[in-house]
Amino acid sequence: MNAAAPPATPPTAPPTASPSVVTVRNPIGAHVPVAARGLAGTGLAYARRVGAESVQVFVANPRGWATPPGNPAQDEEFRTACAEQGIPAYVHAPYLINFGSDSTATREHSVASLRHSLLRGHAIGALGVVVHTGSAVGSAPGGGSRRAEAMAQVRTDVRPLLEELDALGESAPWLLLEPTAGQGSSLCSRMEDLAGYVDALDGHPRVGVCLDTCHAFAAGHDLAAPGGVREALDALVAAAGPGRLRLIHANDSEDVVGARKDRHANIGAGRIGAEPFRELFEHPETAGVPLIVETPDRKHGGDGAGHALDIALLKELRERAAVLA
């Protein structure tokens, strides 16, 4: 896959200020379930059980187009509890969203779905909404890649949503672009691909990046190699601009580097290994950036046991990190 050409000038750096809920250098948490008793009753109870300092939630079926209304009482309870306990919260948008699709219906559903996640994120006090960067589905007339057309669609469809974020004011969540593992005709998987994506959105000051370590490894960034984490983070900053890394999905990989397969492993149990996660804490760009684990839990019996082990290990690695005060 050919990387998008970088913009002629570096992307405008976003504002560095963010809501002051971060109480440790890198709050470590998990994607938490919210079924049964809702965001606070289920989600925050799970967070306490696994030792999470940050949380990520779905506010809709991740594999569907439904846009369910929230429960104002639960939203308030969740928002207040997160603020009082200093827990940064994030929303993950549904997986079906793809602004690079050649289907008009898919694009229309994608706009409605992402708008829903952004508004629900704002309602529950989320700092950011994570969305996968999508792929150029279909072929151009006469054959060939639809990449250029797909990136134009990203601008057409997403730019108006960013204007809606502007209308929400300083409490609006960030839109966090999550590069994929490189499957198919991915629009953004390598760090350098972020340059064209951010440029397509005019370097909007609330466009950020969610780095998934498994995705980056699968896309060919060898995080397990000496200096590999530093190189990948340096490439991210060079492409997206400083201050745009706002969240890290901390996942090990079942597969080898460059496999283009999105198969998460528990921290230290995959091909990346544990030590590269320590190096994440040592890079200046990760200061204040929360980590969320999306690792297998059922292998450890479920009910949060696997997540608790991964969070505990990441906290240990955070303590061992050589970070200048």
Side-chain angles (χ1 to χ4, degrees):
M1 182 184 70
N2 295 326
T9 57
T12 303
T16 56
S18 60
S20 55
V21 299
V22 177
T23 57
V24 294
R25 186 186 191 276
N26 298 92
I28 298 167
H31 186 103
V32 302
V34 297
R37 293 182 294 121
L39 290 164
T42 298
L44 292 184
Y46 185 95
R48 288 190 295 271
R49 188 160 65 250
V50 301
E53 303 163 334
S54 55
V55 296
Q56 178 180 273
V57 298
F58 290 125
V59 291
N61 180 349
R63 303 186 188 281
W65 291 123
T67 54
N71 180 310
Q74 288 187 16
D75 291 353
E76 176 62 25
E77 183 181 2
F78 181 82
R79 183 173 62 247
T80 299
C82 287
E84 291 177 349
Q85 298 171 37
I87 298 176
Y90 297 84
V91 168
H92 198 306
Y95 300 134
L96 296 181
I97 292 173
N98 183 16
F99 297 106
S101 175
D102 61 351
S103 164
T104 301
T106 295
R107 290 176 59 193
E108 290 175 348
H109 285 310
S110 294
V111 169
S113 181
L114 183 54
R115 175 182 288 115
H116 172 262
S117 287
L118 290 168
L119 291 175
R120 292 288 297 120
H122 183 247
I124 67 173
L127 302 188
V129 173
V130 178
V131 64
H132 289 174
T133 46
S135 59
V137 175
S139 300
S145 172
R146 287 187 65 256
R147 182 181 179 82
E149 181 181 353
M151 289 305 301
Q153 291 173 188
V154 168
R155 175 180 172 78
T156 297
D157 294 342
V158 179
R159 196 63 182 84
L161 296 177
L162 294 172
E163 293 173 4
E164 294 175 20
L165 277 186
D166 291 337
L168 296 177
E170 287 302 309
S171 62
W174 284 57
L175 177 63
L176 303 182
L177 307 174
E178 181 179 359
T180 60
Q183 316 96 310
S185 301
S186 173
L187 291 176
C188 182
S189 56
R190 298 277 302 177
M191 296 301 108
E192 51 266 30
D193 296 337
L194 284 163
Y197 217 106
V198 172
D199 191 47
L201 299 177
D202 298 326
H204 190 280
R206 281 199 180 272
V207 169
V209 176
C210 172
L211 171 66
D212 186 307
T213 52
C214 176
H215 292 183
F217 191 71
H221 294 283
D222 192 354
L223 306 182
V229 169
R230 175 182 51 76
E231 291 176 7
L233 289 170
D234 287 349
L236 186 155
V237 175
R244 291 200 187 269
L245 178 61
R246 311 299 290 191
L247 185 65
I248 295 170
H249 285 169
N251 302 306
D252 211 325
S253 173
E254 290 278 3
D255 298 289
V256 298
V257 63
R260 298 189 177 187
K261 294 181 179 179
D262 183 14
R263 296 204 303 161
H264 298 185
N266 294 100
I267 305 300
R271 301 285 188 152
I272 297 175
E275 282 302 299
F277 290 91
R278 177 186 58 79
E279 296 174 25
L280 275 175
F281 298 116
E282 298 177 340
H283 196 284
E285 192 65 16
T286 68
V289 177
L291 278 67
I292 295 290
V293 298
E294 301 173 319
T295 49
D297 189 56
R298 292 180 181 176
K299 290 182 178 180
H300 297 272
D303 200 30
H307 289 162
L309 289 171
D310 285 333
I311 289 171
L313 177 53
L314 286 170
K315 288 179 178 178
E316 178 185 334
L317 293 167
R318 181 177 65 189
E319 289 299 314
R320 289 173 43 208
V323 179
L324 296 178

